[in-house]
């Protein structure tokens, strides 16, 4: 069934995101001068991922019920949360890249 394949891919993407979040945490922990606010932002991704998983569970129910309006709404919510993580992670990575370019000039790192 096509729906099962899509749901399986969705859950695999959550697992991949979880691995990426864990990797980002380890990378930031290895760096010096990372502000606590950046660490808190990365840590907040766990809560967002948990919310996505809960939305996915509801999504499955709505698929089984054939409630396509709710299916579309939940897909939009899940995608929106993923975009939020992606955009924030890009901002952090951009800031890290800029700060590493100027690390010798400026000892204090500026993160977003």
């Amino acid at each position: 069934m096509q729906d099962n394949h899509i749901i399986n891919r969705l859950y695999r993407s959550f697992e991949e995101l979880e691995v990426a979040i864990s990797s980002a945490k380890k990378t930031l922990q290895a760096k010096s001068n990372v502000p606590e606010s950046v660490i808190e932002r990365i840590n907040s991704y766990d809560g967002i991922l948990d919310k996505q998983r809960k939305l996915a569970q509801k999504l499955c129910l709505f698929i089984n019920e054939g409630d396509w309006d709710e299916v579309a709404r939940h897909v939009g919510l899940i995608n929106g949360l993923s975009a939020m993580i992606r955009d924030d992670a890009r901002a952090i990575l951009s800031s890290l890249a800029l700060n590493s370019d100027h690390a010798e000039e400026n000892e204090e790192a500026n993160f977003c």
Side-chain angles (χ1 to χ4, degrees), residues 56-94:
Q57 289 172 345
K58 290 181 182 179
L59 174 68
C60 292
L61 295 174
F62 292 127
I63 288 172
N64 289 334
E65 293 171 359
D67 188 343
W68 304 116
D69 289 337
E70 281 300 311
V71 168
R73 189 174 82 80
H74 277 69
V75 167
L77 291 170
I78 292 167
N79 287 339
L81 290 170
S82 291
M84 189 170 65
I85 290 173
R86 183 187 63 241
D87 293 347
D88 191 57
R90 281 186 183 149
I92 290 171
L93 290 173
S94 256

Side-chain angles (χ1 to χ4, degrees), residues 1-12 60 63-64:
M1 186 163 156
Q2 183 66 15
D3 292 340
N4 285 340
H5 177 68
I6 292 169
I7 296 300
N8 287 337
R9 281 187 21 211
L10 178 62
Y11 277 99
R12 275 196 309 273
C60 292
I63 288 172
N64 289 334

Side-chain angles (χ1 to χ4, degrees), residues 2-49:
Q2 183 66 15
D3 292 340
N4 285 340
H5 177 68
I6 292 169
I7 296 300
N8 287 337
R9 281 187 21 211
L10 178 62
Y11 277 99
R12 275 196 309 273
S13 73
F14 293 156
E15 291 167 5
E16 291 168 6
L17 182 56
E18 189 171 39
V19 169
I21 291 168
S22 178
S23 176
K25 285 179 184 179
K26 288 177 186 171
T27 299
L28 287 177
Q29 289 170 349
K31 293 193 172 287
S32 60
N33 297 327
V34 177
E36 186 61 30
S37 62
V38 172
I39 301 298
E40 288 173 10
R41 283 166 61 184
I42 296 290
N43 287 335
S44 75
Y45 297 170
D46 292 325
I48 296 168
L49 182 58

